[in-house]
């Protein structure tokens, strides 16, 4: 990073002098870095305009998930969910981010029961009574990316499974409470993991959240199994996802050999996940898409 002089224009493009703009902010971050903490680089910090752009993209993401919520039913294939997502996204002028992403063949991830994430919509997967399914929607709109997912419960879901879905949602609330400037990503992770563990659940270790906004997946990687006081410092302007994968049984997972994508729980027990995109603000957080 180039060292700016006090009277140089600030790196944030405000047009103001560095000393009256981000100098004190950078010095504060630098203090954490010197203490050995991981700190964000300037390019991870979104401007107000960029956050507005992400919010416009988020509007589509939310509308798509609402549309799925209105139409999802027993007897429908996950391929039909894909069609709903394509239809609504296109109608609103967006592009589904998953389509073609690293070769992903569909426009949305649909992960059923013991599928942890990255389920591929298929004519063969018919939603049946008692199923739980995660629908993970990501949208590109005018170059801005948004990403969120919800769980849907079909018909008579077993009470234990329903509880998993509800408590996986609670994990987000608990995580969000920890999102504020000068906290660490590990504070959020540990709060989530402690709650999951206290309920007898486990959190997937290998897959987590990510920065998002100008790209689909940006730095940092966001784990939900790390410890308080560790991982990246949170500062205003960071935008990332909270999306812990909560397993009813053990944390171990494997990837489907045939398609190279779909992640399953090793023990065959169900997994639930909700995802929001969140921005760190001056005094806390703002959920951009849910
Ligand atoms: N939406 C997922 C996430 O939360 C990413 C899916 S990648 C895909 O990061 F290629 F499978 F779409
Ligand atoms: Co994501």
């Amino acid at each position: 990073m180039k060292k700016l002089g006090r009277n140089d224009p600030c790196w944030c493009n405000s047009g103001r002098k560095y000393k009256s703009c981000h100098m004190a902010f950078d010095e504060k971050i630098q203090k954490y870095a010197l203490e050995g903490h991981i700190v964000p680089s300037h390019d991870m910090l979104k401007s107000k305009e960029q956050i507005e752009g992400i919010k416009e993209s988020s509007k589509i993401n939310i509308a798509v998930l609402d549309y799925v919520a209105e139409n999802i039913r027993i007897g429908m294939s996950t391929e039909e969910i894909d069609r709903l997502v394509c239809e609504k996204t296109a109608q609103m002028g967006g592009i589904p981010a998953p389509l073609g992403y690293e070769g992903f063949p569909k426009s949305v991830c649909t992960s059923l029961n013991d599928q942890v994430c990255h389920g591929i919509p298929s004519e063969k997967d018919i939603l049946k009574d008692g199923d739980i399914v995660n629908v993970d929607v990501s949208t590109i709109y005018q170059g801005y990316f948004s990403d969120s997912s919800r769980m849907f419960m079909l018909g008579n879901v077993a009470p234990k499974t329903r509880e998993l879905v509800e408590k996986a949602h609670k994990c987000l609330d608990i995580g969000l409470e920890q999102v504020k400037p000068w906290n660490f990503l590990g504070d959020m992770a540990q709060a989530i993991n402690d709650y999951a563990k206290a309920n007898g659940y486990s959190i997937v270790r290998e897959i987590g959240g990510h920065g998002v906004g100008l790209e689909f997946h940006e730095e940092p990687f966001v784990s939900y199994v790390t410890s308080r006081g560790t991982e990246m410092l949170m500062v205003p302007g960071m935008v990332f996802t909270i999306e812990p994968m909560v397993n009813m049984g053990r944390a171990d997972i494997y990837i489907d050999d045939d398609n190279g994508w779909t992640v399953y729980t090793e023990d065959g027990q169900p997994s639930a996940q909700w995802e929001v995109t969140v921005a760190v603000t001056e005094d806390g957080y703002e959920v951009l898409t849910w």
Side-chain angles (χ1 to χ4, degrees):
M1 196 189 309
K2 190 171 136 272
K3 183 119 178 65
L4 286 178
R6 299 171 56 79
N7 292 312
D8 286 336
C10 190
W11 54 263
C12 77
N13 292 327
S14 62
R16 287 171 29 216
K17 285 183 178 171
Y18 185 47
K19 66 180 174 194
S20 57
C21 196
H22 275 96
M23 193 171 87
F25 176 81
D26 281 351
E27 283 170 358
K28 186 162 178 182
I29 292 177
Q30 195 52 31
K31 235 184 84 217
Y32 281 92
L34 289 172
E35 287 167 8
H37 288 292
I38 306 165
V39 300
S41 57
H42 289 159
D43 59 8
M44 285 182 209
L45 308 182
K46 270 77 177 172
S47 66
K48 284 212 167 60
E49 294 70 32
Q50 288 170 332
I51 289 180
E52 284 313 309
I54 300 167
K55 279 189 189 172
E56 289 304 309
S57 175
S58 295
K59 281 184 192 162
I60 301 178
N61 224 62
I62 292 166
V64 169
L65 278 163
D66 287 346
Y67 189 57
V68 171
E70 283 160 24
N71 290 287
I72 196 167
R73 56 181 166 73
I74 294 165
M76 174 184 270
S77 70
T78 53
E79 175 81 28
E80 278 177 76
I81 299 175
D82 192 69
R83 277 201 285 276
L84 292 171
V85 170
C86 282
E87 216 171 273
K88 191 69 184 177
T89 307
Q91 185 206 323
M92 295 183 73
I95 300 166
L99 187 62
Y101 176 79
E102 293 186 6
F104 192 78
K106 297 286 174 177
S107 296
V108 63
C109 298
T110 52
S111 306
L112 275 164
N113 302 321
D114 64 332
Q115 295 179 343
V116 171
C117 63
H118 303 166
I120 302 177
S122 162
E123 288 296 357
K124 292 190 195 125
D125 290 323
I126 309 292
L127 302 177
K128 56 181 198 310
D129 186 46
D131 278 348
I132 60 170
V133 62
N134 170 276
V135 178
D136 190 342
V137 174
S138 317
T139 302
I140 315 171
Y141 181 66
Q142 295 186 340
Y144 292 106
F145 290 74
S146 54
D147 188 5
S148 61
S149 80
R150 300 183 199 164
M151 294 297 296
F152 297 96
M153 296 192 262
L154 294 133
N156 277 311
V157 172
K160 260 183 71 181
T161 309
R162 180 171 291 275
E163 198 176 322
L164 171 74
V165 171
E166 286 162 359
K167 289 189 166 158
H169 190 270
K170 177 84 178 163
C171 281
L172 292 197
D173 299 329
I174 287 169
L176 284 169
E177 275 174 29
Q178 299 296 321
V179 178
K180 53 187 145 209
W182 322 112
N183 265 15
F184 298 95
L185 288 175
D187 299 341
M188 184 259 295
Q190 186 167 349
I192 290 174
N193 201 9
D194 284 354
Y195 175 77
K197 278 195 206 155
N199 283 282
Y201 304 144
S202 60
I203 304 276
V204 170
R205 299 172 294 251
E206 298 86 340
I207 314 167
H210 49 93
V212 62
L214 310 183
E215 304 282 347
F216 195 174
H217 295 115
E218 302 175 0
E219 298 279 341
F221 172 73
V222 182
S223 168
Y224 310 100
V225 294
T226 48
S227 305
R228 201 160 276 131
T230 71
E231 300 294 301
M232 192 174 283
L233 180 73
M234 296 188 217
V235 309
M238 280 170 76
V239 176
F240 57 87
T241 68
I242 304 185
E243 50 174 319
M245 286 146 239
V246 186
N247 293 356
M248 186 181 284
R250 297 177 54 85
D252 307 84
I253 54 168
Y254 69 92
I255 299 177
D256 187 323
D257 262 345
D258 296 329
N259 69 28
W261 277 102
T262 310
V263 178
Y264 289 83
T265 60
E266 185 78 52
D267 62 10
Q269 294 208 58
S271 181
Q273 178 190 29
W274 300 76
E275 174 181 19
V276 292
T277 295
V278 66
V280 182
T281 61
E282 292 302 325
D283 54 5
Y285 67 86
E286 181 178 6
V287 174
L288 304 183
T289 185
W290 41 268

